[in-house]
Amino acid sequence: VALTMLKGRVWVEEFDQKVLKDEKVLALAEKVHVRLDEELDRLYDSKWPAIVEIELDDGRKYSSQVDWPRGEPEFPLTDEEMKEKFVSIALPVIGRANANSVVEIIDDLEGLSDVSTLMEAAVDSGSR
């Protein structure tokens, strides 16, 4: 929760040891409390709900509920978010250039005459 608030997202690179030891992340994480909500728990399987409540130092409170986590079919990522997530995950394995090439090839998949082009782009060329 602290990472999401500070970084705006939580993807693979946010779990780097440097990020996880960041004083701002740790200080905010100390203020996060998780508790079971029995009503929401009863909805589990038909939904995956969660409520986030934020209370500011001046007493103002904000609350929001979602029924599905981001990325589920009921609450899908946008095409751009999906591409960014793919590159984030593929980057340490095949490098940025290859990951971006895979995205470009998939964007024009209908025009692909030979699947080997996609396969070659997805192979680590050693250039990261």
Side-chain angles (χ1 to χ4, degrees), residues 2-128:
L3 278 171
T4 301
M5 290 177 70
L6 292 170
K7 304 285 184 180
R9 68 179 195 187
V10 177
W11 288 353
V12 174
E13 61 263 24
E14 276 78 43
F15 288 96
D16 178 90
Q17 287 302 310
K18 182 179 176 186
V19 174
L20 294 176
K21 292 179 181 178
D22 182 297
E23 290 182 23
K24 288 181 183 178
V25 173
L26 295 174
L28 187 54
E30 286 287 323
K31 297 177 182 184
V32 173
H33 305 282
V34 178
R35 66 176 174 81
L36 175 67
D37 183 305
E38 296 290 340
E39 286 184 43
L40 294 184
D41 196 45
R42 282 192 284 280
L43 297 173
Y44 185 70
D45 267 0
S46 65
K47 295 181 179 181
W48 295 9
I51 297 174
V52 173
E53 297 175 336
I54 298 174
E55 183 175 349
L56 303 180
D57 289 338
D58 65 9
R60 288 182 291 157
K61 295 180 183 180
Y62 299 89
S63 178
S64 182
Q65 178 177 335
V66 295
D67 290 329
W68 297 98
R70 197 81 169 104
E72 289 296 317
E74 296 83 359
F75 191 19
L77 298 173
T78 65
D79 287 349
E80 193 58 37
E81 289 169 326
M82 186 72 73
K83 291 173 189 177
E84 288 177 26
K85 185 172 184 177
F86 169 78
V87 170
S88 168
I89 293 168
L91 182 70
V93 180
I94 63 173
R96 182 170 304 280
N98 286 29
N100 288 332
S101 291
V102 169
V103 169
E104 289 174 17
I105 292 167
I106 290 174
D107 272 347
D108 188 35
L109 200 55
E110 293 82 11
L112 188 64
S113 61
D114 184 352
V115 75
S116 66
T117 306
L118 175 59
M119 299 311 294
E120 289 167 8
V123 174
D124 182 7
S125 66
S127 60
R128 290 188 196 155

